Amino acid sequence: MITLNPGTVGLAELRAVWGGAPAELHPDAWPAIDASAASIARILASGRTVYGVNTGFGLLANTRIPEDRLAELQTNLILSHSCGLGAPLDPRIVRLAMILKAIGLGRGFSGVRRIVVERLLALVEADALPIIPGQGSVGASGDLAPLAHLSAALLGEGEIVLHGETLSAGEALARLGLAPLALGPKEGLALINGTQVSTAIALDVLFTAERIFAAALVAGALSTDALKGSIAPFDPRLHAARGQQGQIDVAAALRGLLEGSAIGASHLDCAKVQDPYSFRCQPQVMGAALDLIRNAARTLTTEANAVSDNPLIFAEKDEAISGGNFHAEPVAFAADTLAMALCEMGSLSERRTAVLIDPKMSGLPPFLIEDSGVNSGFMILQVSAAALVSENKSLAFPASADSIPTSAGQEDHVSMATHGALKARRIARNAAGVVAIELLAAAQGIDFHAPLQTSAPLARAHQAIRAAVPFHEKDRFLAPDLAWAQGAVLDGAVTDAVQTDLFGG
């Protein structure tokens, strides 16, 4: 059980929760939640007008709502905003979004009762996940539509997937012995204001990018050995002279992966001066990508702990302050930078595959197969990689550079964070396919150097590949091999055999 202390939840805990670990809030969170709810009650009793508590929303913020309609106001907010479209979000993302919402509410600045947070966590624990359409958020005023679908399930509206079975939310709650939640003042607004959906998607991209990055390092090292490439460009003195930390770390990782290779030792005195940039400049390109991934991790860890609804309640003085913490620009920037890093990882990987299949560049059999001509070998695998790389280029325009006014101009600048994160997720899966193709090509290239052996860590990666994909002796139906390799990149099956941890907690 992961115990989450709102405000100090770390990346390692978020990664564990993303991986399916059960979670609970730290006991210290509950007094702050209670104090915030009590403050809302005192504010209402005082007769003050507070946005979203006893007023309308957006352009209707100046409309005062009578006390006997406050519960109706919050319920109507959820129902009216449940208007998403598109394919449902992945259950892993929905679960993470629910936990992030519990973390945000658990900071004690949102004015909700503890039952709201308890109910969110109860659904997570019961594996009862609301169906949330992926489209409909512009990433300002919070992820309104997707969070409304999440929240509607608490009220018995919409649909819930319970242990894999899709049910009406009301039926799912009944099976769990839970009554639909009756919202109190501000609770609907606190639930749908926030960046938790876009942050959950971006964290999913981040954790996937970590795995793709690790696989790309292994693939790049395998390709370097298959090419009989030089390790001189990975000399630590070169990278210390530049001083970029990601570059320094990647060069060190590549040296560790290649150390002890008999293939590498066999050509130490060869006449070749330089390798193509896609081999020689791996530390520079992958290091820059690593820096972007690390920076996105810092941003998203902060946002996972953030209070991003509106207004915020400061219980010690019974103050309600309206601001704009719901604007998801930090998440949008993080998603866009992850997209750029993933595009470059894929671009570099495809170029290495192209070199390996070219006998003039690699010295290996054409298209990495004997009896070429009758056999096409890896010819069209490289074409598939090129197609994925080009698709990623078309997806790489930063979503955060776009904005469109909403809510009659009241919300006149938006972040597009949810769109950016979903787009980055698509880029990630394409990049995983590109790296998967390189892994297969590099393993084939290594085999052509037998009886010479690669390094011990790369041999473990090679063995993991060969346990599922046999040597490409003659043409065969390749789609299953490629599907396995892409899955192995995404779930870490290959890189788990090679301990290269550049991300830590």
Side-chain angles (χ1 to χ4, degrees):
M1 177 72 72
I2 305 293
T3 300
L4 304 171
N5 194 354
T8 63
V9 178
L11 191 64
E13 295 167 298
L14 293 168
R15 195 182 290 112
V17 168
W18 175 74
E24 63 181 2
L25 283 196
H26 194 283
D28 290 349
W30 298 107
I33 295 170
D34 294 338
S36 184
S39 181
I40 283 288
R42 291 191 297 269
I43 288 170
L44 283 171
S46 73
R48 279 184 280 162
T49 300
V50 176
Y51 170 73
V53 177
N54 50 14
T55 74
F57 308 102
L59 195 64
L60 305 176
N62 294 322
T63 302
R64 177 73 183 252
I65 307 300
E67 187 172 348
D68 63 352
R69 304 193 71 184
L70 295 184
E72 180 186 357
L73 171 72
Q74 299 299 316
T75 299
N76 285 348
L77 177 68
I78 300 298
L79 298 178
S80 67
H81 285 55
S82 297
C83 53
L85 292 168
L89 294 177
D90 188 280
R92 173 181 274 183
I93 291 172
V94 173
R95 183 178 185 273
L96 183 55
M98 295 171 76
I99 291 172
L100 294 181
K101 177 55 76 175
I103 292 170
L105 298 178
R107 293 284 302 278
F109 293 101
S110 301
V112 304
R113 297 164 296 155
R114 67 164 57 202
I115 190 174
V116 176
V117 183
E118 288 172 340
R119 188 61 58 84
L120 280 168
L121 294 174
L123 292 185
V124 170
E125 184 178 1
D127 190 28
L129 304 180
I131 291 181
I132 303 177
Q135 294 174 292
S137 174
V138 295
S141 283
D143 297 315
L144 293 174
L147 282 173
H149 281 274
L150 185 159
S151 306
L154 303 176
L155 312 185
E157 300 285 349
E159 293 181 310
I160 287 175
V161 178
L162 179 63
H163 305 308
E165 182 183 1
T166 300
L167 304 168
S168 70
E171 183 179 352
L173 293 179
R175 287 195 189 183
L176 296 172
L178 299 173
L181 188 64
L183 296 176
K186 193 185 177 294
E187 289 178 345
L189 186 61
L191 282 165
I192 70 166
N193 255 185
T195 63
Q196 286 79 25
V197 168
S198 53
T199 302
I201 302 168
L203 282 168
D204 176 79
V205 175
L206 170 69
F207 299 142
T208 303
E210 291 175 349
R211 291 178 174 181
I212 296 169
F213 184 92
L217 273 187
V218 172
L222 272 172
S223 291
T224 299
D225 227 16
L227 184 70
K228 291 190 173 180
S230 174
I231 61 170
F234 310 145
D235 189 300
R237 294 169 293 181
L238 282 173
H239 309 290
R242 191 177 202 183
Q244 295 286 355
Q245 191 58 51
Q247 177 179 327
I248 291 168
D249 292 344
V250 167
L254 289 169
R255 291 194 305 274
L257 288 168
L258 288 161
E259 184 178 3
S261 169
I263 298 172
S266 72
H267 63 93
L268 289 177
D269 298 322
C270 71
K272 187 165 62 172
V273 177
Q274 291 183 330
D275 297 320
Y277 286 4
S278 56
F279 291 80
R280 190 182 355 148
C281 297
Q282 288 181 78
Q284 289 79 8
V285 179
M286 292 293 285
L290 178 59
D291 287 335
L292 289 182
I293 293 170
R294 287 171 169 171
N295 188 62
R298 285 189 290 270
T299 296
L300 295 174
T301 302
T302 298
E303 194 67 17
N305 285 282
V307 185
S308 54
D309 63 291
N310 186 61
L312 300 191
I313 308 302
F314 297 89
E316 65 276 8
K317 292 187 177 180
D318 287 343
E319 285 187 271
I321 303 177
S322 285
N325 281 1
F326 47 67
H327 199 295
E329 198 79 357
V331 181
F333 283 167
D336 283 341
T337 55
L338 286 170
M340 286 192 296
L342 286 159
C343 280
E344 284 298 270
M345 285 185 240
S347 178
L348 200 68
S349 174
E350 183 275 330
R351 287 293 81 204
R352 290 192 297 264
T353 298
V355 169
L356 291 181
I357 67 171
D358 184 345
K360 301 185 300 295
M361 298 287 287
S362 68
L364 295 166
F367 303 108
L368 298 175
I369 197 162
E370 300 287 8
D371 196 18
S372 57
V374 173
N375 293 292
S376 295
F378 279 68
M379 179 189 295
I380 305 303
L381 280 172
Q382 185 268 329
V383 173
S384 293
L388 293 172
V389 167
S390 288
E391 183 178 321
N392 277 355
K393 292 175 187 176
S394 71
L395 294 170
F397 184 86
S400 57
D402 185 24
S403 180
I404 186 168
T406 61
S407 193
Q410 177 77 359
E411 298 154 5
D412 59 349
H413 183 276
V414 300
S415 72
M416 302 306 298
T418 309
H419 169 61
L422 286 170
K423 186 163 62 70
R425 194 169 190 261
R426 183 173 168 187
I427 289 171
R429 274 140 186 80
N430 287 345
V434 176
V435 173
I437 289 169
E438 184 190 3
L439 283 168
L440 297 180
Q444 185 82 356
I446 291 293
D447 286 334
F448 283 119
H449 294 301
L452 293 176
Q453 297 292 310
T454 188
S455 68
L458 292 180
R460 292 195 295 274
H462 181 271
Q463 289 160 10
I465 294 167
R466 284 289 171 257
V469 178
F471 177 75
H472 200 81
E473 185 176 355
K474 61 181 182 178
D475 283 346
R476 62 174 184 263
F477 189 66
L478 285 172
D481 295 348
L482 183 51
W484 174 86
Q486 185 181 36
V489 171
L490 291 171
D491 66 19
V494 172
T495 50
D496 281 351
V498 181
Q499 299 302 314
T500 304
D501 184 9
L502 294 172
F503 304 103

